[in-house]
Amino acid sequence: MKKRPFKERYPTLKSFLKGDGPCHYIGDRYIEGTNIYDRREWRGVVDTAYDFGWWLATWLKMGAFAAKNPVRILRAFWRYRWLSAYLAAPHMVDKWIAGDRGLMLRCDRHALNAMISDTVDILWTMIRADRKLGKTKYTDKTVAFDYTLPRHIMLGFPGWDSVNINQQCAFMLPLMIKQMGAYYIDQSVSVGIPQDMCTLPLVEVGVAVEHEYPDLGNFWLCTNNPCDANMMDNAVMYRELSDNGRKAVHAFVTPLMYDDPTTKELGVHEVCEAIKFVEEQTGEKFNWDAFRDGIERVNQVTREELERWDIYATTNTIGMNGVCQGFFSIYFYQQSANKHFERESAKILKLFNKGVEKGINTIPYARHRAVMWSCGSTYNCQVANWLYTCWGIAPIINMDSLTGHNLVDTEDMDTMLSDVADWYGRTPMRTHTVGGNRHILQVFETARKFNCDMIVMYDDIGCKGMAGCQGLIEEEFRRHSDEFKICWLPHALMDYRTVPPAEARKAVNDYMRTVLGEEPLDPTLEVFDDDAGW
Amino acid sequence: MRDLKHMIEFEELLRSANNEMVKAACAEGRLALAYNCSHIPEVLLDVPGCFGVRLRAPGCVSPDMATYYMTNRSCPYSKSILERAFEGGYNFIAALLGQECCTTMNRMEQYFDYCELIPNEKFFVSCLDMPINRSEWHEGYYERQLRQKVVEPLERVYGVDFSDAALTAAIEQHNELCRVINAMGELRKAENPVITGYEFAVMQLCSLTCPKDKLLPLLRETLEELKTREPEPKPWFRARVMVVGSEIDDPEFTKMLEMAGAIVVADRYCFGTMPGREEIEVGEGETPLHAIARNYLWNNHCPRAMGPQALIERKNYVYQKAKEFGAEGLIVESMKFCEYWGYERAQDAMWLTEGYEVPGTLPVCQIERDYTTAAAGQLRTRFQAFVESLEIKRIQGAI
């Protein structure tokens, strides 16, 4: 920890006890050259204790996971390189709640609790069913979905487990250890796939190249969601995920022009075909009642999410920070009805409402309310918190939080199928990036709705869809420059080497200093070296 | 071999999208209907009063404006087309029929609208949603998409006649063109062919970019000429190859490959004949539009078709065509930044060299290329090395 006089950090006893103030000197806490704390963030007496309790709970959950079957889990650690990333999960949590205080800390902790609890469940679901670790009674009863394919149809097959197989094995890795994504990207490139593609499918393929996907179930559902690159990685992973053709594979596709009325029939047809495929493979009839019940449960969480949107839009009670809000929403979208999300979503909404009642401002030092648009980074997802702690830019809503929020009418089967088809077409990273340029340009409408004065535009260097409309965005930004302050935030989704976090921060620093002429709230965060960090 | 009588004329036609035949057809009051992708049935655009033009941007080496709009990380084919549109190279077109795949191409097509690139008040861009899966149901869906996104807008804006009689006439013309082109293509199977890959590529490209009724007489005559053409006393090439991959609309690519000692005997790439030159059969009781949809759905081997059946089928298609045309090796190419072919190329190379899900193995040379043959030196070296490796394999009896 860098030496800084106590008086400078906490001018009054009250500020120490509450851990409050515009500047948290978070950069002082990092071990030199990393983004790893040398001691926990001081958030005041109550919040530090609260956070520490949850931090211990995270370890307890991980311990409980290991205790389920220590030998099998040890073998899994030996077999799968990616699994080791989860040992850094507590650090990931620290990154995601940096700067959180009071209500926001509580809401984010509840959101994280849902995600961690569910991740532990899914990891165990995969490991216990994995043939590579020995066949069990679960092996044949577990179904693999592509990571970008929501598993809602499995609500109609009670008694069957399902997992988004690339989510835990690939997507989540750089969230915990940024170097982990790069390793698997190199594996993809080693078999001839160009490195200039979107890096998320490259990581997924890299895991397949290393034969590191668990071998579970007897069939697999792939998809064209959300984009061309992910569609093609499904093709390249065919051998690995179908176990050289021994497992049945079904392409559960969704229309690219998902909100064009002429494509509606395709969406519905593909949902029905996917259900039919699962029926054939499982030998079980689709249970419409169970499906309807499950969808109702999903609807409830969606309603709660929509209520939170209203609060985001009209108040400063922004109960969840930019990172937790985005991932909570995306994660739930993939998982469908799920006890952890249902429980925590209700609690979070309760906290939100309480905050509104009391008029709590969770972003007291905000200079700007920002909408975060386009696909965000994984290895640098915490940059959303940095925007607030360093520059007072409060992310109010993320583009990918605004996906899959349509309520499903469960009154009759046809309407339900139609709404579910809509749902499948509105995937994260897709709703606003395909189906016509008008979806991208919804950024302005969204910024107005959420009462934002700033747009932070992620620039994923590997995304071909967004690269193709760069000029359009530039021109539209100029047209709206009187209404919004607009800043680009570069990244390479899963590959920290291409756009290191420091470079992304520099782009914002330059904009804030030279264009807006502002000074940072926390100067220790403006420039720091975290190259060797996670 | 003696030069083909119309070869210079064919080459001239490829110098510009707005070539002499296109100009003549437009002067007759016919509508030039543009498209970019093999998912748009060209036959549908060749109904009476119209003709299809698959967009090319010959000689585009520096797409600066397009790079501003699409960055330097986008497909150079799409950017070159956009650049040429900014230059006014497509001012003659009446509509652009596109598709939401791939995304980059779709973005480029949307810029035609956004930047108001075509000085024609009636000009419009219409994009269809092409099915990814294939089945009888998808034939119907594809047909409905064609009706809603191609037929109805053209009827509404320009009063184009898409009656069954008009479509039947277009299919008949298309089938004749296919017969002529395929007859030329078949000549490549000979041990010492009377046609080069370059000549064939030039004529095939003309068939995609010129009004077919105007081109057909020249093609028919050339076919007759080829039937009596004397081959070289002994084969002039050192190896027979098949080219597989994404957009190649520059015959110079094939010429360079042939200058390196190979002959291109089969062309399985966008703008090639495999697939694309299959005759359309209208079944009994079937509407012509449905026959078109069925044909284009099942004969398209774009990597975007998903599922194991489509995946395995397209690898086998390559293998079988290579064997049928006597190709000793494959050049699998992808356009820089092409997501479909970037993955497909790597997978083709793996499956076909290993013989996975195909009856045998084939040597493969993978290349990544720009829209133009700007990196000609490097490519030539790669091709020469591949030709040499095929020769060595032949000497060793490996192929």
Side-chain angles (χ1 to χ4, degrees):
Chain A
M1 187 171 172
K2 293 181 191 71
K3 298 254 185 230
R4 189 177 297 275
F6 187 82
K7 192 82 181 159
E8 190 183 341
R9 282 184 280 142
Y10 305 106
T12 61
L13 181 63
K14 191 181 168 193
S15 69
F16 171 71
L17 294 176
K18 293 194 80 176
D20 207 1
C23 178
H24 299 145
Y25 298 107
I26 289 174
D28 284 353
R29 295 180 183 275
Y30 292 140
I31 296 169
E32 191 70 30
T34 75
N35 60 347
I36 302 167
Y37 289 150
D38 61 359
R39 66 180 67 182
R40 300 196 60 71
E41 184 180 342
W42 179 252
R43 304 167 196 267
V45 177
V46 178
D47 284 356
T48 302
Y50 179 84
D51 178 52
F52 189 67
W54 277 106
W55 183 79
L56 284 177
T58 304
W59 280 109
L60 279 175
K61 281 178 199 296
M62 290 168 66
F65 164 67
K68 284 177 189 289
N69 186 334
V71 176
R72 197 171 176 91
I73 285 170
L74 203 62
R75 287 177 61 213
F77 269 98
W78 187 253
R79 180 77 181 73
Y80 302 124
R81 174 184 291 257
W82 53 263
L83 195 53
S84 60
Y86 287 86
L87 294 173
H91 171 256
M92 178 199 79
V93 173
D94 286 345
K95 286 190 295 188
W96 287 19
I97 56 167
D100 274 12
R101 299 286 185 276
L103 180 76
M104 189 181 269
L105 177 70
R106 279 148 187 81
C107 292
D108 287 341
R109 273 301 192 177
H110 279 292
L112 279 160
N113 188 36
M115 290 185 265
I116 291 167
S117 303
D118 193 49
T119 298
V120 165
D121 284 357
I122 292 175
L123 285 174
W124 177 234
T125 302
M126 286 200 292
I127 288 168
R128 75 180 182 187
D130 186 3
R131 281 189 190 87
K132 289 176 184 172
L133 304 172
K135 192 173 175 186
T136 66
K137 63 179 179 178
Y138 301 106
T139 304
D140 293 334
K141 298 279 279 183
T142 306
V143 183
F145 275 57
D146 182 80
Y147 140 66
T148 49
L149 186 63
R151 294 186 273 121
H152 297 68
I153 60 166
M154 291 308 292
L155 294 169
F157 294 97
W160 287 77
D161 289 317
S162 62
V163 292
N164 292 105
I165 196 161
N166 340 62
Q167 181 162 341
Q168 268 65 28
C169 311
F171 171 75
M172 288 184 67
L173 307 183
L175 299 176
M176 292 168 286
I177 299 182
K178 69 181 179 193
Q179 291 84 351
M180 203 59 115
Y183 172 79
Y184 288 109
I185 289 168
D186 290 348
Q187 304 311 311
S188 284
V189 175
S190 74
V191 295
I193 297 166
Q195 199 267 338
D196 50 40
M197 300 291 165
C198 174
T199 47
L200 173 52
L202 288 179
V203 172
E204 292 176 31
V205 171
V207 176
V209 170
E210 291 285 272
H211 306 292
E212 286 192 29
Y213 281 113
D215 179 4
L216 40 88
N218 297 312
F219 59 98
W220 169 48
L221 288 104
C222 60
T223 184
N224 65 329
N225 276 350
C227 60
D228 295 342
N230 197 69
M231 180 164 82
M232 288 311 298
D233 85 6
N234 277 279
V236 174
M237 293 191 295
Y238 166 74
R239 282 174 78 173
E240 173 69 9
L241 290 179
S242 73
D243 192 16
N244 280 312
R246 279 185 279 276
K247 293 181 191 173
V249 179
H250 179 77
F252 183 172
V253 306
T254 56
L256 286 154
M257 296 158 69
Y258 59 85
D259 60 350
D260 181 324
T262 69
T263 66
K264 169 67 83 174
E265 57 170 326
L266 179 71
V268 174
H269 175 81
E270 298 296 352
V271 172
C272 295
E273 286 297 296
I275 291 171
K276 199 170 126 194
F277 169 78
V278 180
E279 278 182 339
E280 284 165 6
Q281 297 302 320
T282 58
E284 285 188 17
K285 286 298 285 178
F286 188 70
N287 184 333
W288 286 97
D289 292 332
F291 184 61
R292 185 176 292 106
D293 289 348
I295 292 294
E296 283 293 358
R297 286 163 55 204
V298 176
N299 274 346
Q300 179 54 31
V301 178
T302 307
R303 277 188 211 100
E304 288 161 4
E305 175 78 6
L306 295 176
E307 275 192 56
R308 288 195 287 269
W309 287 9
D310 285 340
I311 295 171
Y312 288 134
T314 53
T315 72
N316 274 337
T317 309
I318 309 302
M320 290 162 87
N321 68 34
V323 192
C324 294
Q325 175 210 79
F327 281 110
F328 183 77
S329 174
I330 296 170
Y331 207 123
F332 171 68
Y333 176 74
Q334 303 296 125
Q335 310 305 85
S336 81
N338 174 296
K339 61 181 181 190
H340 301 300
F341 284 86
E342 289 162 40
R343 182 187 67 236
E344 300 301 341
S345 172
K347 286 181 185 169
I348 292 169
L349 181 63
K350 213 170 157 186
L351 286 168
F352 264 63
N353 286 329
K354 212 167 149 187
V356 174
E357 262 174 44
K358 291 184 175 172
I360 295 173
N361 180 358
T362 59
I363 46 170
Y365 307 108
R367 295 163 172 167
H368 306 285
R369 289 171 61 98
V371 58
M372 311 286 286
W373 208 250
S374 191
C375 307
S377 170
T378 53
Y379 64 86
N380 193 24
C381 60
Q382 64 276 9
V383 77
N385 284 357
W386 173 85
L387 286 171
Y388 179 65
T389 49
C390 183
W391 287 105
I393 302 168
I396 304 299
I397 197 84
N398 288 278
M399 180 187 84
D400 281 335
S401 304
L402 302 166
T403 50
H405 55 270
N406 55 313
L407 292 167
V408 177
D409 186 343
T410 54
E411 281 304 303
D412 70 75
M413 202 189 292
D414 289 341
T415 326
M416 183 158 66
L417 275 176
S418 171
D419 287 351
V420 168
D422 277 348
W423 215 348
Y424 271 97
R426 291 166 202 264
T427 313
M429 299 190 286
R430 183 180 210 253
T431 312
H432 297 94
T433 58
V434 305
N437 288 345
R438 67 184 186 286
H439 293 137
I440 298 163
L441 299 181
Q442 282 173 347
V443 60
F444 304 113
E445 185 191 329
T446 307
R448 281 183 209 110
K449 271 187 190 163
F450 283 89
N451 195 21
C452 294
D453 66 326
M454 192 169 190
I455 295 167
V456 177
M457 189 75 184
Y458 286 116
D459 180 13
D460 176 5
I461 201 162
C463 178
K464 303 288 173 265
M466 292 309 289
C469 58
Q470 184 96 357
L472 167 93
I473 296 167
E474 294 272 11
E475 292 200 354
E476 291 297 325
F477 278 179
R478 272 195 289 278
R479 277 183 199 162
H480 292 81
S481 60
D482 289 343
E483 196 179 354
F484 301 110
K485 296 163 190 73
I486 299 164
C487 173
W488 288 91
L489 185 53
H491 68 93
L493 193 58
M494 308 283 273
D495 193 348
Y496 77 101
R497 298 165 301 187
T498 310
V499 184
E503 199 176 310
R505 292 193 296 267
K506 185 174 181 305
V508 178
N509 292 341
D510 290 348
Y511 175 79
M512 295 304 287
R513 280 197 179 274
T514 58
V515 180
L516 298 189
E518 293 182 10
E519 290 291 323
L521 287 177
D522 184 345
T524 66
L525 285 175
E526 187 180 2
V527 179
F528 65 97
D529 176 17
D530 60 349
D531 197 49
W534 293 336
Chain B
M1 286 185 290
R2 197 173 155 177
D3 288 346
L4 291 172
K5 182 181 163 189
H6 295 298
M7 187 46 63
I8 291 175
E9 195 176 347
F10 289 134
E11 286 172 334
E12 277 301 314
L13 289 170
L14 294 180
R15 285 190 190 283
S16 156
N18 194 9
N19 60 41
E20 290 307 314
M21 283 190 183
V22 169
K23 282 179 186 163
C26 288
E28 291 164 11
R30 291 163 67 186
L31 300 172
L33 304 176
Y35 68 107
N36 293 293
C37 172
S38 51
H39 283 123
I40 305 297
E42 53 173 323
V43 61
L44 197 55
L45 313 182
D46 283 321
V47 288
C50 306
F51 63 98
V53 179
R54 191 154 176 182
L55 296 183
R56 296 172 59 245
C60 181
V61 288
S62 181
D64 298 326
M65 289 283 282
T67 299
Y68 162 72
Y69 279 100
M70 303 181 73
T71 76
N72 55 1
R73 315 188 297 267
S74 287
C75 159
Y77 167 76
S78 297
K79 284 202 304 182
S80 299
I81 299 296
L82 183 59
E83 186 72 13
R84 186 53 46 88
F86 275 116
E87 292 164 357
Y90 308 128
N91 284 355
F92 62 94
I93 63 176
L96 174 59
L97 290 318
Q99 65 299 314
E100 171 81 43
C101 75
C102 57
T103 305
T104 305
M105 204 180 271
N106 180 255
R107 297 282 190 226
M108 173 266 285
E109 286 160 352
Q110 290 185 80
Y111 278 124
F112 275 67
D113 251 350
Y114 180 76
C115 298
E116 297 176 359
L117 296 178
I118 307 300
N120 173 355
E121 278 181 10
K122 286 181 161 182
F123 173 82
F124 66 88
V125 179
S126 179
C127 293
L128 61 88
D129 191 274
M130 174 74 195
I132 289 170
N133 282 335
R134 300 188 295 187
S135 70
E136 213 170 292
W137 184 89
H138 291 93
E139 290 173 11
Y141 173 74
Y142 187 22
E143 180 191 355
R144 289 187 287 281
Q145 280 289 302
L146 290 175
R147 187 176 296 286
Q148 289 159 331
K149 298 298 172 63
V150 179
V151 171
E152 286 172 4
L154 284 168
E155 279 176 343
R156 197 168 51 244
V157 177
Y158 291 108
V160 176
D161 174 18
F162 282 103
S163 61
D164 282 0
L167 287 174
T168 305
I171 290 173
E172 277 167 13
Q173 182 184 254
H174 171 84
N175 287 350
E176 190 192 350
L177 181 96
C178 292
R179 281 193 292 276
V180 174
I181 292 277
N182 288 337
M184 290 179 187
E186 290 287 307
L187 297 172
R188 297 175 298 177
K189 288 181 179 172
E191 218 167 277
N192 188 10
V194 292
I195 187 169
T196 67
Y198 169 75
E199 289 165 339
F200 184 75
V202 167
M203 288 185 278
Q204 161 63 6
L205 280 168
C206 285
S207 76
L208 289 165
T209 53
C210 298
K212 292 181 179 47
D213 56 320
K214 295 193 182 298
L215 186 72
L216 260 168
L218 300 184
L219 291 177
R220 282 190 210 110
E221 199 181 333
T222 306
L223 177 59
E224 290 308 312
E225 189 185 349
L226 283 167
K227 284 178 183 167
T228 55
R229 194 186 201 191
E230 283 294 319
E232 295 288 337
K234 55 179 190 175
W236 54 268
F237 51 86
R238 291 152 55 200
R240 300 166 66 92
V241 299
M242 175 177 186
V243 178
V244 179
S246 60
E247 312 275 356
I248 303 178
D249 68 7
D250 182 4
E252 290 301 312
F253 178 85
T254 308
K255 184 186 262 183
M256 183 170 62
L257 190 43
E258 297 197 330
M259 283 170 75
I263 181 172
V264 178
V265 292
D267 52 344
R268 186 269 169 273
Y269 50 79
C270 307
F271 281 93
T273 59
M274 297 174 185
R277 286 287 166 252
E278 294 77 21
E279 289 187 51
I280 298 169
E281 280 179 35
V282 184
E284 207 175 309
E286 189 180 27
T287 63
L289 187 60
H290 188 270
I292 291 170
R294 179 176 46 75
N295 181 74
Y296 277 83
L297 182 71
W298 291 101
N299 284 331
N300 198 308
H301 289 279
C302 178
R304 79 187 283 276
M306 290 190 78
Q309 197 189 340
L311 185 62
I312 293 165
E313 253 177 40
R314 62 179 184 257
K315 309 297 178 200
N316 275 284
Y317 181 81
V318 170
Y319 183 83
Q320 279 155 13
K321 288 290 175 193
K323 288 293 164 193
E324 193 183 329
F325 283 78
E328 298 159 284
L330 305 176
I331 306 280
V332 185
E333 56 86 23
S334 69
M335 188 76 78
K336 188 103 180 115
F337 304 123
C338 177
E339 291 189 310
Y340 289 170
W341 280 100
Y343 281 93
E344 185 75 358
R345 170 169 60 78
Q347 193 181 40
D348 274 357
M350 277 185 273
W351 285 33
L352 288 154
T353 49
E354 276 181 44
Y356 181 75
E357 293 283 5
V358 289
T361 60
L362 282 166
V364 174
C365 168
Q366 294 187 62
I367 60 156
E368 192 178 59
R369 49 180 280 271
D370 206 337
Y371 178 62
T372 58
T373 43
Q378 292 161 13
L379 281 183
R380 192 174 293 121
T381 306
R382 296 280 310 277
F383 292 155
Q384 284 165 343
F386 185 58
V387 168
E388 266 177 41
S389 76
L390 291 178
E391 281 179 310
I392 292 167
K393 282 190 169 72
R394 198 185 308 131
I395 291 165
Q396 292 172 339
I399 49 175

